Amino acid sequence: QVQLVESGGGLVQAGGSLRLSCAASGRTVSDYTMGWSRQAPGKGREFVGLIGMSGGSPYYGSSVKGRFTISRDSTKNTVYLQLNSLKPEDTAVYYCAARSVGATDWQYRGQGTQVTVSS
């Protein structure tokens, strides 16, 4: 089992950047596919991106591709989401999640971190 804690959210102006962190404990992030999602007020959860266990290129949702970057630091057991060129529509609670080999659903989720982008 793995516990996930997100941090790094905050208030930023449009065009700015933030880096979110997802710190894992209990197991190493390399044992899981790690993903990010977000949920804006009054909307459903939206897939942001994921990074596989074996590395390789991360995969991103169409609304963030080219602006957001996912990376993993196994020495710190942490996954990052770099948010660049932020837009007001990026305002949401951002969640990280983990799933193990063969799992089709995200098995573990963090509590989320709020990102607010002002225009």
Side-chain angles (χ1 to χ4, degrees), residues 11-74:
L11 174 64
V12 63
Q13 289 188 330
S17 298
L18 281 174
R19 189 177 78 161
L20 308 184
S21 300
C22 175
S25 60
R27 295 285 298 272
T28 65
V29 293
S30 298
D31 290 341
Y32 298 91
T33 294
M34 301 296 297
W36 287 92
S37 62
R38 66 185 182 183
Q39 188 163 18
K43 297 187 177 180
R45 189 159 297 196
E46 178 186 10
F47 171 77
V48 172
L50 62 82
I51 186 166
M53 286 180 286
S54 59
S57 298
Y59 177 80
Y60 300 98
S62 58
S63 62
V64 307
K65 192 172 184 180
R67 300 188 297 122
F68 292 5
T69 303
I70 296 174
S71 61
R72 177 173 53 209
D73 186 339
S74 297

Side-chain angles (χ1 to χ4, degrees), residues 2 11 18 21 24 48 60-61 68 83 86 88 90 95-97 105 115:
V2 63
L11 174 64
L18 281 174
S21 300
V48 172
Y60 300 98
F68 292 5
L83 294 71
L86 283 161
D90 294 318
Y95 300 89
C96 73
D105 295 327
V115 172

